[in-house]
Amino acid sequence: MTDALTTLLAKGQAMTRDDLRTLLGLTDPQDRKRLYDAAYEVKARTVGRVDYYRGLLEFSNRCIKNCKYCGIRRDNEEVERFDTDRKDLLAMAKWAYDNRYGSLTLQSGERQDEEFIAYVEGLLRDIKELSHGELGITLCVGEQTEETYRRWFQAGAHRYLLRIETSNPALYATLHPQDGHHEWSVRKACLEALHRIGYQVGTGVMIGLPGQTLDDLAGDILFYRDMDIDMIGMGPYVVHHNTPIGKEVVAAGGNTEAAQQERFILGLNMIAVTRLFLPDRNIAATTALQALNPLGRELGLKAGANILMPIVTLPKFRPDYLLYDNKPCVEDSPDQCRNCLAGRVASVGDTVGFGKWGDSLHYFKEHPEQERR
Ligand code: 5AD
Ligand code: SF4
């Protein structure tokens, strides 16, 4: 495999679907090291050895959706539902600004009612104002109408994250209730609407889902390319004990340490192969990586990721925002998360791009008229 691997790693953007699948399936530690080193080298050469923070503010766990893998799904009655007070939200936004985070990501469960839409709109204007227009704002609040996305864009959001979860519609159908409200085609149409409006668009998938193949994962990377995705946030699937999929996986013996390790490795392989194939995108080392391995996020950065999302959520609400079991950082404060991640970045030999937006290079190739910050 050695020579074949050298050839494959050098193919970069010319890789075929078969090539992507072959690299994604590497399991031998030495082969994997070569994959990660090659991806890190591409990262260093294209986006640089600078990692950017996106403070993650999980402001409400109310959700109208019932995704079968997620711990805050509507039917999980073990969860106490919360909303963050506006003044606390603005205080956390100010904290992120004062700490020179490039941008803030506002995340919540999905709601589509006018009260919610207007609330987010007002919040965006207030955050823009308190940071003198400097704090970049990313939204991650689910599927909405194009009109809503447009209102929020006009109020100051410039990036939007909406994971496609998997590029395979048949697999998507097994992960979501078939009630007419969880349609893959709608999610894809949302990504297209976001692009039309002018957002920098982020998406991602879960890795190691039951029934998912290496070919599906290769398809996910091609989906990022074909949909012109600027920001990629993906991580291993992690069991949540009180969800339909979590219970199925546990019952089938699919949550052993070995199985978790396999999903973790697939997660790293996805980051590295995506960096080789799509060198100019922003790619996150997600918290889910660290749920499966204490060094998960550092290893993600070393495999080619360049974005970290320190949690800025109020400590009192963190235990109620558990999408999966063993979520790290639940006991920590925003200050602790800031310092802890700075240590992780330094341990890799990178630096943090404080005070910069760190926009995706890819977006600016598509929009040369815009100023990159
Ligand atoms: N494991 C990993 N990721 C999950 N998400 C939701 N539940 C899980 C889980 N059990 C991810 C989904 C969603 C994002 C907000 O969190 O990809 O889009
Ligand atoms: Fe709601 Fe998102 Fe969880 Fe689905 S994944 S239940 S939309 S919070």
Side-chain angles (χ1 to χ4, degrees):
M1 179 79 197
T2 307
D3 290 339
L5 184 54
T6 308
T7 314
L8 209 48
L9 291 173
K11 273 175 101 171
Q13 295 171 72
M15 283 193 279
T16 63
R17 187 174 185 121
D18 275 352
D19 295 336
L20 297 173
R21 208 172 38 218
T22 304
L23 289 182
L24 289 169
L26 292 180
T27 50
D28 176 76
Q30 276 171 5
D31 289 347
R32 288 195 296 109
K33 177 157 187 335
R34 290 174 57 199
L35 168 65
Y36 305 152
D37 287 351
Y40 189 79
E41 209 265 310
V42 170
K43 162 181 163 176
R45 205 160 13 96
T46 33
V47 293
R49 296 175 65 182
V50 182
D51 305 321
Y52 297 96
Y53 279 0
R54 277 74 177 95
L56 181 61
L57 185 39
E58 299 147 324
F59 66 94
S60 169
N61 63 357
R62 288 183 208 285
C63 190
I64 58 171
K65 288 270 170 79
N66 226 352
C67 307
K68 287 156 76 178
Y69 43 82
C70 174
I72 63 169
R73 63 198 299 270
R74 189 184 64 216
D75 284 357
N76 184 2
E77 290 177 356
E78 284 180 2
V79 174
E80 198 177 324
R81 303 290 162 171
F82 72 88
D83 297 295
T84 309
D85 282 347
R86 192 186 192 88
K87 71 167 184 2
D88 288 340
L89 262 168
L90 293 177
M92 295 321 290
K94 175 93 174 33
W95 182 93
Y97 174 61
D98 289 344
N99 281 274
R100 303 177 63 231
Y101 280 20
S103 78
L104 188 68
T105 301
L106 296 175
Q107 188 180 87
S108 70
E110 188 171 306
R111 277 176 57 185
Q112 298 170 338
D113 53 288
E114 173 58 30
E115 190 192 342
F116 178 76
I117 295 167
Y119 179 74
V120 171
E121 193 177 25
L123 206 57
L124 290 166
R125 293 195 197 281
D126 288 351
I127 296 175
K128 275 281 143 191
E129 200 180 296
L130 74 80
S131 71
H132 316 291
E134 285 174 30
L135 193 62
I137 310 178
T138 306
L139 280 177
C140 182
V141 293
E143 292 171 11
Q144 306 288 342
T145 63
E146 185 157 349
E147 169 59 22
T148 300
Y149 286 145
R150 207 173 284 284
R151 273 171 68 180
W152 288 342
F153 188 72
Q154 282 161 359
H158 67 136
R159 302 185 180 130
Y160 204 100
L161 292 177
L162 181 67
R163 287 190 178 182
I164 191 75
E165 314 297 358
T166 167
S167 61
N168 176 347
L171 178 59
Y172 190 92
T174 69
L175 305 171
H176 297 92
Q178 295 308 291
D179 57 2
H181 300 298
H182 296 75
E183 298 291 330
W184 186 87
S185 57
V186 170
R187 187 140 309 189
K188 179 164 179 266
C190 284
L191 293 171
E192 288 160 351
L194 290 162
H195 261 313
R196 270 197 298 279
I197 295 167
Y199 280 96
Q200 293 179 44
V201 180
T203 196
V205 298
M206 285 177 289
I207 302 158
L209 289 161
Q212 190 180 43
T213 63
L214 289 177
D215 191 61
D216 289 330
L217 293 170
D220 294 341
I221 298 178
L222 294 169
F223 180 89
Y224 302 150
R225 179 194 65 187
D226 296 342
M227 293 291 291
D228 230 340
I229 295 302
D230 304 297
M231 316 173 299
I232 298 163
M234 54 189 169
Y237 163 69
V238 184
V239 164
H240 185 288
H241 62 278
N242 197 29
T243 56
I245 301 270
K247 286 178 184 168
E248 265 169 46
V249 169
V250 170
N255 201 31
T256 57
E257 260 189 40
Q260 291 183 12
Q261 171 69 2
E262 210 171 294
R263 286 198 281 273
F264 175 72
I265 284 174
L266 262 185
L268 291 182
N269 288 7
M270 270 297 270
I271 290 176
V273 178
T274 304
R275 175 61 71 202
L276 290 175
F277 190 63
L278 303 170
D280 60 358
R281 316 295 161 115
N282 277 346
I283 305 176
T286 57
T287 316
L289 280 172
Q290 200 180 316
L292 297 183
N293 183 312
L295 295 179
R297 284 192 280 184
E298 290 88 318
L299 293 171
L301 297 176
K302 279 180 134 168
N306 66 326
I307 300 291
L308 287 166
M309 301 179 75
I311 301 182
V312 177
T313 308
L314 292 189
K316 67 176 171 187
F317 293 135
R318 292 184 184 205
D320 298 318
Y321 207 93
L322 301 180
L323 308 185
Y324 45 79
D325 294 342
N326 303 319
K327 186 176 170 194
C329 320
V330 171
E331 310 279 312
D332 300 329
S333 70
D335 280 303
Q336 284 166 323
C337 287
R338 175 186 197 268
N339 297 336
C340 154
L341 284 178
R344 291 176 192 269
V345 169
S347 78
V348 173
D350 290 354
T351 55
V352 181
F354 279 114
K356 300 215 184 80
W357 282 10
D359 284 322
S360 145
L361 276 181
H362 181 72
Y363 179 84
F364 289 91
K365 283 186 195 152
E366 305 288 309
H367 297 84
E369 75 288 358
Q370 304 256 0
E371 182 198 358
R372 183 159 187 267
R373 300 176 64 170

